[in-house]
Amino acid sequence: MLDFNQLYTVFGGGLLQLAQPLPIIHLLTDSRKLSQPAGTLFFAIRGRYNDGHKYLHQLYLQGVRQFVVEQGDAAELRQRYPEANLLQVPDSLAALQQLAAWHRSRFQIPVVGITGSNGKTIVKEWLAQLLSPDELTVKSPRSYNSQLGVPLSVWQMDQNHTFAIFEAGISQPGEMEKLQRVIQPTLGIFTNIGSAHDEGFASHQQKVAEKLQLFKGVDLLFYCADHTLVHEAVQAEGIKSFTWSRTQAADVTISGTSTVGHKTIIVFKWQGRKERLAIPFTDEASVENALHCVAFLLYRNLPLSEIQDRLDRLHPVAMRLEMKEAINSCYLIDDTYNNDLAGLAIALDLLMNQPQRGRHTVILSDLLESGLPEEKLYRQVAELVQARGVERLIAIGEKVSRYSSLFSVPTEFYTSTADFLAQFQPAQFRNELILVKGARVFEFEKIVQAFQQKVHGTVLEVNLDALVHNLNYYRSKLAPDVRLMVMVKAFAYGSGSFEVANLLQFHRVDYLAVAYADEGVMLRENGITLPIMVMNPSPDSFAKLRQYTLEPEIYSAEQLEAFVSSLEKGAPSKIHLKLDTGMHRLGFTAEDFDALFILLQQHPQVQVVSAFSHLAGADEAVHNDFSQQQISQFRGMAAEVEARLGYSVIKHILNSAGIVRFPEHQLDMVRLGIGIYGVEATGTAQEALRPVSTLKTTVSQVKQIKQGETVGYSRKGMAASDTTIATIAIGYADGYDRRFSNGVGHVLIHGQRCPLIGNVCMDMCMVDVTGLPVKAGDEAIVFGPRLTLVELAKSIGTIPYELLTNVSSRVKRIFYAE
């Protein structure tokens, strides 16, 4: 085991302090994911959006005693952290990669490196599953394929493993060379080449060449020779390869494919013989991913019957963790596709990031194929569960049940999923956030079904990763000391206030803003501790503001009088002053200042936290002069506010559009609204954002109508010819606007745009699906990445805000992370 005082032999650097000899067991790069301080080494990495050095003190207080840093005065660091081991390096990320490369070099087992534009994670997961009868495999957790994720993946290797599979992804030249030194693969798989991350490369040829850097020195590279750019580059490099192809001679030559039910039959030539296998998928991407794995198994000389048996047990890989509403005000985190230590840690991180949902419960199956001795494995599981603050554990499986004595949290043990379901009592679960984490063979999807509420056919999926991406995009435009307030009013623009606010708290925004006190109260009651500004407080809510430490926006002398009169004598209170610079909606004008400051002088217990104003036309260049006039006026008014108060306040005027168009006027804080939800209000940088919400529904029925027949209320829809229509389960009661009626609106079914026919009804509407193989139960996309809010809003003459906030609360929200 490596000690801290040996680190400099691995990657050099300057030893600032060696307070005590400590082993290095866990690597940490995100202060929010600390689980076991003892044995943890923290790398303070300066990234594009954050700086790990800001969290040294917090981690020290939490018990971490080993740090790799890039900056800081040595004497000051020693004084502040007297018990810490401190090593200073030029680049903490490079040091992390060097440490992982050193760790990798200690093992002589086969290591597969996987890269390509698509399919890396699927191929990795399937290959690990297919090899499981023969090998104890360590693999990248989920899609840990970045400059940061790869070294953390490789650090998992230990003496129990017989095989390793790591994926590597890059977005610009020079990155793969670094990952190759970490993974040091002995075998390789190149899945394909496509458009992902095109913006980082001059051409596809350059991208292929960069990705091939992973395979320097491999014994063998597996790939499909039909990808011409890949094939030509591999041949030019002289890399020894094992190929499969549909169009040319290869080690495995596919001569035919056919679909039978839910399987694809492949006929191929292998070692001079004609063979046949059935792949349990029919979509092209899954078939290609499976063929990479088949080629690998053929190379290992597995009998065809054994390969078929293993293929039959393949299952789709869930690429995301979903949070779903469930019975008795519970929420589920659905992660039922596999169960290993790394995946459990990631799922527990998501659980830990949701403090607002009452008790934290985990339903966990046996962990399979870990490569660890059972007692050591379940001791680590017990430590992980306890460190993550789990309050209730339900353990299912004969193996975990044998080690019940290791678990200190309240735990119930069941021998099987059927045993748990037979004793399941819904009343015993209330106001809980429940992680359901099980190996596939335990069929935990049955547990999810037992917990879930009856789901209305229409759901709004909220992509938390996209929300974080958008947050980081706007953060990247801010000066270092500018604070960030995020608007979560109107149910977080329809996306779900609790869940979004909690994610923002986890990512350390400075302020939240809501429209009404009740919204702030709900956030407080669900664990949100960030400062919250209430934009429309009313006198009957002032008591709630004090009770829940909410900070009101004050926009008139009359309102301020009512507020201060509600205060207990001498009770301190924080307020935000709204200044009117031309929006002419709410706010103080300069003429109101005398009355305002007389009141504030009479009530010194009232502290003005911020002064702000709102730009009326920041999203359109035609209003630039007016916006600049507003900003200039605000600067003058804010200066007068501070002069009269005798102290500084936070000053903010830029909204989402203003952040993009007027970066020189960020002042002390900016307010991020619709931008974080994936709509760039100016229209100039929409491609930089990711859509956060996808509204989906299902087809209820398909029927044929004759030419001249009518559809829907008032007979507004008339068939111009014989037509196939599908009724979908969404209507204006779900927030789907009636203006989409009669061909104005479209939905996506099977990837095709299908126009509405007839009027939108309260709970359903009809679409023309003529020529498409649509059946009841099929999915229909109402809006999402390929049918955007911006486009839909334009088609009915409104704005994306309206469509997003109109989505009814009866529509279930599903929150997911990739």
Side-chain angles (χ1 to χ4, degrees):
M1 187 177 295
L2 188 69
D3 284 340
F4 188 89
N5 61 357
Q6 298 171 300
L7 274 184
Y8 73 91
T9 65
V10 176
F11 51 71
L15 185 62
L16 304 185
Q17 180 168 277
L18 182 61
Q20 49 190 321
L22 292 173
I24 296 169
I25 303 170
H26 313 290
L27 306 184
L28 182 68
T29 61
D30 187 334
S31 64
R32 298 162 298 188
K33 297 181 179 180
L34 175 66
S35 60
Q36 296 164 294
T40 288
L41 172 63
F42 178 69
F43 287 81
I45 295 172
R46 288 186 294 179
R48 181 178 178 186
Y49 303 119
N50 217 335
D51 185 350
H53 295 82
K54 295 192 294 187
Y55 309 108
L56 296 177
H57 185 65
Q58 169 193 325
L59 288 168
Y60 186 78
L61 293 177
Q62 292 175 283
V64 177
R65 292 295 181 266
Q66 304 186 88
F67 300 93
V68 174
V69 301
E70 296 179 13
Q71 61 190 39
D73 177 76
E76 182 180 337
L77 288 169
R78 284 192 289 264
Q79 181 179 2
R80 194 169 191 193
Y81 310 117
E83 298 177 8
N85 296 335
L86 299 162
L87 187 69
Q88 191 168 52
V89 296
D91 185 331
S92 293
L93 177 57
L96 171 67
Q97 293 172 343
Q98 287 175 277
L99 178 58
W102 170 85
H103 183 69
R104 159 67 183 93
S105 67
R106 298 168 59 226
F107 300 92
Q108 302 305 312
I109 62 175
V111 175
V112 178
I114 303 178
T115 194
S117 294
N118 300 293
K120 297 183 292 293
T121 302
I122 301 291
V123 172
K124 175 202 66 187
E125 295 291 340
W126 281 352
L127 187 59
Q129 185 185 149
L130 291 165
L131 292 174
S132 61
D134 312 315
E135 308 286 359
L136 295 175
T137 300
V138 57
K139 57 185 172 66
S140 310
R142 292 195 173 266
S143 54
Y144 270 40
N145 59 30
S146 67
Q147 298 293 304
L148 191 60
V150 166
L152 295 177
S153 300
V154 169
W155 186 254
Q156 299 175 97
M157 297 178 73
D158 68 31
Q159 67 275 11
N160 297 292
H161 296 121
T162 63
F163 206 86
I165 311 174
F166 302 118
E167 58 175 294
I170 59 173
S171 58
Q172 58 188 18
E175 291 183 332
M176 190 62 85
E177 187 176 1
K178 299 174 184 176
L179 298 185
Q180 191 278 335
R181 290 196 291 265
V182 176
I183 298 174
Q184 302 165 40
T186 60
L187 299 166
I189 299 176
F190 200 137
T191 59
N192 51 48
I193 195 70
S195 59
H197 300 294
D198 269 359
E199 65 278 6
F201 301 92
S203 65
H204 278 196
Q205 287 89 342
Q206 183 191 32
K207 185 159 63 170
V208 169
E210 288 291 334
K211 288 180 179 291
L212 278 180
Q213 295 296 308
L214 178 62
F215 305 119
K216 286 181 183 176
V218 296
D219 297 329
L220 202 62
L221 173 61
F222 297 81
Y223 69 95
C224 174
D226 298 336
H227 294 293
T228 306
L229 289 179
V230 175
H231 185 55
E232 291 175 351
V234 172
Q235 297 302 306
E237 291 289 330
I239 301 173
K240 187 178 179 182
S241 59
F242 186 101
T243 61
W244 65 271
S245 173
R246 292 184 175 94
T247 62
Q248 58 188 291
D251 293 288
V252 179
T253 305
I254 311 297
S255 57
T257 62
S258 59
T259 301
V260 178
H262 298 294
K263 293 185 177 183
T264 298
I265 309 301
I266 58 166
V267 180
F268 59 97
K269 188 175 182 181
W270 161 242
Q271 294 183 337
R273 300 187 305 273
K274 188 175 182 180
E275 306 286 4
R276 179 187 302 260
L277 284 170
I279 293 173
F281 305 99
T282 57
D283 64 286
E284 183 58 35
S286 294
V287 171
E288 179 171 300
N289 291 334
L291 283 170
H292 289 307
C293 298
V294 167
F296 197 93
L297 297 182
L298 289 171
Y299 165 74
R300 285 170 65 97
N301 290 316
L302 262 71
L304 265 293
S305 59
E306 177 66 17
I307 293 176
Q308 185 62 69
D309 183 57
R310 296 186 189 187
L311 285 173
D312 289 341
R313 295 197 296 271
L314 273 186
H315 56 81
V317 175
M319 295 298 291
R320 66 193 200 185
L321 291 170
E322 293 186 344
M323 190 159 66
K324 304 174 177 177
E325 291 181 79
I327 56 173
N328 304 330
S329 299
C330 293
Y331 266 70
L332 296 181
I333 296 176
D334 183 357
D335 191 17
T336 55
Y337 89 102
N338 78 357
N339 199 12
D340 55 35
L341 268 178
L344 176 61
I346 293 171
L348 286 171
D349 283 338
L350 182 60
L351 181 73
M352 182 179 65
N353 300 345
Q354 306 288 331
Q356 76 268 27
R357 292 289 178 191
R359 181 163 62 170
H360 286 181
T361 298
V362 173
I363 302 178
L364 183 71
S365 78
D366 286 346
L367 277 73
L368 306 179
E369 300 150 10
S370 71
L372 295 174
E374 277 190 9
E375 183 174 359
K376 181 178 180 181
L377 170 65
Y378 289 107
R379 188 176 301 279
Q380 289 188 25
V381 171
E383 291 171 353
L384 193 57
V385 166
Q386 183 175 3
R388 288 298 199 275
V390 172
E391 296 157 275
R392 179 187 189 185
L393 177 65
I394 295 169
I396 298 176
E398 294 179 355
K399 293 180 181 179
V400 68
S401 298
R402 286 200 289 267
Y403 297 96
S404 58
S405 62
L406 299 176
F407 293 89
S408 57
V409 303
T411 307
E412 306 160 34
F413 292 92
Y414 299 88
T415 57
S416 67
T417 302
D419 182 22
F420 169 78
L421 290 173
Q423 301 180 56
F424 177 61
Q425 297 182 37
Q428 293 181 351
F429 298 86
R430 189 170 299 277
N431 298 315
E432 297 179 45
L433 181 62
I434 304 166
L435 169 61
V436 184
K437 179 78 173 135
R440 180 67 179 176
V441 295
F442 282 85
E443 299 182 310
F444 270 17
E445 61 270 19
K446 295 178 180 177
I447 295 177
V448 173
Q449 292 168 5
F451 271 100
Q452 270 202 277
Q453 297 174 325
K454 185 178 181 181
V455 176
H456 174 37
T458 303
V459 297
L460 184 72
E461 294 187 345
V462 180
N463 185 337
L464 299 178
D465 292 324
L467 192 142
V468 172
H469 169 87
N470 298 340
L471 172 68
N472 286 336
Y473 168 74
Y474 284 100
R475 267 188 166 154
S476 71
K477 295 189 167 296
L478 303 183
D481 296 328
V482 174
R483 298 185 225 191
L484 183 62
M485 173 185 282
V486 181
M487 317 303 287
V488 291
K489 61 181 182 177
F491 200 45
Y493 290 64
S495 299
S497 301
F498 305 142
E499 296 78 11
V500 170
N502 190 70
L503 188 71
L504 296 172
Q505 180 167 275
F506 180 73
H507 285 276
R508 299 185 175 102
V509 303
D510 301 286
Y511 253 96
L512 300 177
V514 296
Y516 298 102
D518 287 348
E519 295 175 313
V521 169
M522 284 190 287
L523 294 182
R524 286 282 185 257
E525 288 179 340
N526 284 277
I528 301 302
T529 59
L530 287 173
I532 299 174
M533 181 176 78
V534 178
M535 303 183 72
N536 295 289
S538 58
D540 60 0
S541 70
F542 289 159
K544 289 288 187 184
L545 297 179
R546 294 193 302 277
Q547 180 183 354
Y548 289 91
T549 60
L550 304 172
E551 302 170 9
E553 167 190 317
I554 300 296
Y555 48 79
S556 71
E558 295 81 9
Q559 185 197 30
L560 180 57
E561 279 191 62
F563 178 69
V564 296
S565 66
S566 73
L567 297 176
E568 298 175 9
K569 187 174 182 179
S573 186
K574 296 179 178 180
I575 66 170
H576 300 257
L577 294 181
K578 177 70 172 289
L579 308 181
D580 185 0
T581 58
M583 183 79 159
H584 298 324
R585 188 171 59 181
L586 295 173
F588 292 96
T589 64
E591 290 74 25
D592 299 322
F593 275 12
D594 288 342
L596 166 64
F597 288 105
I598 288 171
L599 272 170
L600 289 174
Q601 288 166 5
Q602 292 171 349
H603 299 278
Q605 77 274 27
V606 176
Q607 177 193 356
V608 178
V609 178
S610 84
F612 70 103
S613 190
H614 198 93
L615 296 175
D619 53 340
E620 296 181 273
V622 68
H623 301 303
N624 274 4
D625 289 345
F626 188 76
S627 295
Q628 293 287 359
Q629 178 183 319
Q630 278 193 275
I631 293 168
S632 177
Q633 184 178 347
F634 173 71
R635 284 178 176 272
M637 293 175 73
E640 186 174 351
V641 166
E642 291 182 321
R644 292 215 194 189
L645 288 173
Y647 56 83
S648 297
V649 300
I650 300 170
K651 298 171 287 295
H652 48 112
I653 190 170
L654 297 187
N655 53 9
S656 297
I659 296 170
V660 173
R661 302 195 65 248
F662 305 108
E664 69 276 18
H665 297 300
Q666 293 174 5
L667 304 177
D668 303 311
M669 185 161 70
V670 297
R671 300 188 304 276
L672 180 56
I674 192 69
I676 198 173
Y677 304 102
V679 178
E680 204 286 289
T682 73
T684 61
Q686 184 62 51
E687 71 284 351
L689 302 182
R690 292 175 58 187
V692 168
S693 300
T694 299
L695 183 59
K696 295 181 175 182
T697 190
T698 56
V699 173
S700 302
Q701 188 179 25
V702 178
K703 60 178 61 178
Q704 309 294 324
I705 62 171
K706 299 292 186 182
Q707 179 181 356
E709 290 185 333
T710 60
V711 178
Y713 285 120
S714 303
R715 305 188 68 196
K716 292 293 185 182
M718 181 170 290
S721 59
D722 290 354
T723 303
T724 305
I725 65 168
T727 301
I728 58 175
I730 188 170
Y732 57 78
D734 302 298
Y736 192 54
D737 201 297
R738 290 189 81 243
R739 288 173 287 181
F740 288 122
S741 300
N742 301 308
V744 175
H746 294 75
V747 300
L748 289 176
I749 302 179
H750 293 282
Q752 302 297 312
R753 290 182 177 235
C754 303
L756 266 70
I757 180 168
N759 282 332
V760 174
C761 309
M762 179 180 287
D763 306 302
M764 62 194 75
C765 53
M766 288 65 72
V767 296
D768 185 342
V769 295
T770 304
L772 295 178
V774 178
K775 61 185 183 302
D778 284 354
E779 180 181 83
I781 306 295
V782 180
F783 62 70
R786 292 184 55 204
L787 191 59
T788 68
L789 284 165
V790 174
E791 176 188 348
L792 292 176
K794 186 177 180 180
S795 72
I796 60 171
T798 188
I799 56 177
Y801 300 71
E802 181 179 352
L803 299 185
L804 198 52
T805 59
N806 276 356
V807 178
S808 168
S809 60
R810 81 173 187 175
V811 174
K812 302 300 179 187
R813 271 70 174 170
I814 294 178
F815 303 89
Y816 68 93
E818 299 293 348

